[in-house]
Amino acid sequence: MYIFVAGVILRAIVRGGESAGSRHMNTHLVYLDNAATSWPKPPDVAEAMTRFLAEVGANPGRAGHRLANESARIVYDTREAVAALFNAGDPLRVVFTRNATEAINLALKGLLDKGDHAVTTGVEHNSVMRPLRALQERGVELSVASCSPHGFVDPDAVAKAVKPGTRLIAVTHASNVVGSIAPVREIGTIARGKGLCLLIDAAQTAGALDIDMQRDNIDLLAFTGHKSLYGPMGTGGLVFGPRIDISRIEPLTRGGTGSRSEQETQPAFAPDKYESGTPNVVGLAGLLAGVRWVRARGVEHIRRNEMVLTQQCIDGLRAIDGVTVYGGLDAARQTATVSFCVAGVSVSELGLALDEDFGILCRVGLHCAPVAHRTMGTFPGGTVRFSMGAFNTKRDIDAALSAVARLAVGAGA
Amino acid sequence: MRPDNSVVLVHSTSHAIKAEKLMRRAGIDCKLIPVPRKLSSDCGICIRFAARDKSRAALVLAKGGIETEGIHDLAR
Ligand SMILES: Cc1ncc(COP(=O)(O)O)c(C=O)c1O
């Protein structure tokens, strides 16, 4: 990663780059903000996007000429790769969106009507909570199953929240704040047993953890392309499992699809029902390269390395006086995301010092998940979040730990 | 007059690409072309293949879960 970063900086200098670039000339930047978006990306991703723009470029399926067909093949191959990664079944039930947020909105607003009851949890991201709160104002009933202070979803609490009229259980696969992994299989069994839909927000886990929609009874899987699938921003999707009757799910937008052009009403079949307008094919070309890279490297392999770094990070932080680490403190039960605080110093000051003085890039605050911080008792102050990815090394964690140790001493902790 | 080519019409571009893949995998030579206007006013694409492969194509697509909107002979 050092060489990659140095390359970027070198280019900035060669181009007479601004001071922002050269200021870091001798700094080893450590990127620990992979839960926000993964970086760097595998080189294949930029190459695939460049190739699409330079050599294909056409609007998929709007014309029928060879470049349009090639463009449509890239989109379809991406559906196929995503469906295979999640053991989803039919690639035509992979619907692309701008990101996980749009996919979650599609699932929630498309499925829930006035009078329906939905169950969610106390560690959700606002991309789940805000649309649910808005639906609540329009007559959807909502229960929030409480979680442990370490951020773990309790399947019994979820089961107890179910009542007559419940249609949906919406759960984040892993918290973006503490990384705690939800017992998806158990919740899937509950949902299946009661005939309910299960929506999983896999923004933090798609590509990072093994996901099998059929084995785990996941009906709707929302994913984002730019995190652990290593694709570009602006990509994501909603995968419909075989039990979902799409005639019961309304689209968010309607418009041109290149199909059924003689009709003035929206097509009734997937994916066209949910994909109006020209898709982000340059982004999908990058996502395809990212998913292929993840599959070639192996989710298991990536996960093993991230677990080692995560445990190193947790143990190292806990050894520093004045530092409180949140969550289960066990890498096997969380993603590569670690949240902590340092006594006597605000998280915003810490974030700024980590960046400016040490070149450690992370995210501080509430991480768009106020309910998760309430669950952990860190609301409204928030936490510092280190999140690792496939390109981080032990040395990166060493550097981050020694920076925190110096800041903690400075704070008089 | 014997038709040389047939086309199969499907719901959408995504279905057409899936159909093309299934047919190629089964060894059926085929090509994506714009839907002939006389068959449909739809502006999408369909799959052209040799008329002699008609029954095989129908089988492959049915097995692959592709609902077709008809297989038509293209008169020359
Ligand atoms: C748990 C969780 N859900 C949803 C999202 C939303 O993802 P996106 O910003 O790609 O829409 C994120 C990340 O931002 C997340 O961490």
Side-chain angles (χ1 to χ4, degrees):
Chain A
M1 182 165 142
Y2 176 70
I3 292 164
F4 188 89
V5 169
V8 170
I9 292 159
L10 214 64
R11 267 210 302 281
I13 294 166
V14 170
R15 285 191 198 137
E18 345 76 69
S19 58
S22 37
R23 210 177 62 215
H24 291 300
M25 195 162 44
N26 298 315
T27 315
H28 177 174
L29 287 186
V30 175
Y31 184 81
L32 294 181
D33 198 15
N34 289 276
T37 197
S38 58
W39 190 81
K41 308 291 185 189
D44 320 29
V45 173
E47 277 165 27
M49 295 172 77
T50 305
R51 201 179 321 119
F52 174 80
L53 288 173
E55 295 169 21
V56 184
N59 202 323
R62 299 292 200 268
H65 55 70
R66 69 189 75 185
L67 291 182
N69 293 342
E70 193 46 37
S71 180
R73 281 188 198 101
I74 291 170
V75 176
Y76 184 81
D77 287 348
T78 314
R79 293 188 209 284
E80 226 175 31
V82 165
L85 183 66
F86 303 140
N87 191 24
D90 188 357
L92 296 179
R93 288 168 74 92
V94 174
V95 164
F96 291 121
T97 59
R98 284 187 300 145
N99 46 38
T101 302
E102 193 174 64
I104 293 163
N105 272 267
L106 166 58
L108 296 175
K109 293 177 187 161
L111 189 78
L112 294 171
D113 281 325
K114 197 175 162 141
D116 290 337
H117 174 244
V119 177
T120 192
T121 81
V123 286
E124 299 303 312
H125 189 271
N126 266 345
S127 55
V128 172
M129 204 52 98
R130 285 180 174 172
L132 281 174
R133 292 296 183 201
L135 284 164
Q136 207 177 5
E137 288 184 2
R138 280 183 245 151
V140 169
E141 241 196 298
L142 180 66
S143 302
V144 181
S146 61
C147 297
S148 82
H150 300 314
F152 290 97
V153 176
D154 172 6
D156 292 334
V158 171
K160 279 205 198 93
V162 172
K163 58 183 189 181
T166 306
R167 261 188 94 186
L168 175 81
I169 301 176
V171 179
T172 181
H173 192 178
S175 159
N176 64 309
V177 178
V178 271
S180 49
I181 298 169
V184 168
R185 200 173 310 179
E186 285 171 76
I187 298 169
T189 305
I190 294 166
R192 176 57 56 95
K194 306 200 177 199
L196 311 174
C197 279
L198 175 60
L199 164 66
I200 294 295
D201 168 6
Q204 288 296 327
T205 56
L209 299 181
D210 174 41
I211 294 177
D212 186 320
M213 288 180 69
Q214 301 192 44
R215 177 196 66 202
D216 295 344
N217 292 316
I218 299 169
D219 297 306
L220 294 161
L221 187 86
F223 68 95
T224 203
H226 65 97
K227 299 191 197 228
S228 298
L229 295 176
Y230 293 89
M233 297 173 195
T235 59
L238 183 65
V239 189
F240 293 84
R243 283 201 310 157
I244 293 290
D245 173 4
I246 68 158
S247 72
R248 299 192 63 192
I249 301 195
E250 285 291 297
L252 288 178
T253 52
R254 293 176 175 81
T257 56
S259 55
R260 296 286 156 87
S261 294
E262 74 284 7
Q263 292 179 5
E264 293 185 8
T265 53
Q266 193 74 4
F269 49 82
D272 295 34
K273 181 175 181 180
Y274 307 105
E275 289 185 355
S276 294
T278 300
N280 176 14
V281 188
V282 62
L284 293 175
L287 176 60
L288 176 59
V291 173
R292 283 183 172 157
W293 181 87
V294 166
R295 293 185 72 201
R297 190 170 261 227
V299 172
E300 275 303 306
H301 175 80
I302 295 171
R303 168 75 178 141
R304 255 198 314 277
N305 289 339
E306 287 186 355
M307 270 173 58
V308 170
L309 298 183
T310 303
Q311 200 63 54
Q312 181 196 352
C313 185
I314 292 169
D315 295 345
L317 285 170
R318 290 182 75 199
I320 300 169
D321 274 346
V323 173
T324 308
V325 185
Y326 297 93
L329 308 178
D330 175 4
R333 297 175 67 207
Q334 69 189 70
T335 54
T337 290
V338 179
S339 251
F340 65 95
C341 285
V342 177
V345 45
S346 76
V347 298
S348 49
E349 286 172 79
L350 273 170
L352 187 62
L354 284 166
D355 177 5
E356 289 200 323
D357 302 339
F358 298 94
I360 313 276
L361 313 181
C362 63
R363 181 169 172 192
V364 303
L366 294 176
H367 314 96
C368 298
V371 72
H373 281 281
R374 283 202 176 89
T375 291
M376 297 187 337
T378 48
F379 185 88
T383 54
V384 181
R385 180 183 75 180
F386 284 167
S387 53
M388 285 65 79
F391 293 99
N392 285 118
T393 61
K394 250 178 123 302
R395 274 185 50 202
D396 291 341
I397 308 302
D398 288 338
L401 292 172
S402 75
V404 173
R406 284 183 48 192
L407 291 169
V409 169
Chain B
M1 184 190 62
R2 263 190 67 219
D4 289 324
N5 281 320
S6 297
V7 292
V8 54
L9 272 52
V10 293
H11 290 328
S12 74
T13 302
S14 310
H15 290 79
I17 304 286
K18 181 175 178 183
E20 179 193 46
K21 279 204 165 193
L22 290 168
M23 288 168 70
R24 291 220 166 125
R25 221 172 280 155
I28 301 172
D29 197 24
C30 61
K31 182 176 162 58
L32 295 171
I33 63 164
V35 175
R37 300 295 294 174
K38 61 179 181 245
L39 293 180
S40 164
S41 55
D42 186 59
C43 64
I45 51 177
C46 61
I47 307 100
R48 188 181 72 194
F49 56 96
R52 64 173 178 278
D53 289 328
K54 220 175 352 182
S55 53
R56 221 151 55 87
L59 195 69
V60 165
L61 296 180
K63 267 197 189 155
I66 297 258
E67 204 179 298
T68 77
E69 296 182 359
I71 297 183
H72 305 268
D73 291 331
L74 284 187
R76 275 202 300 182

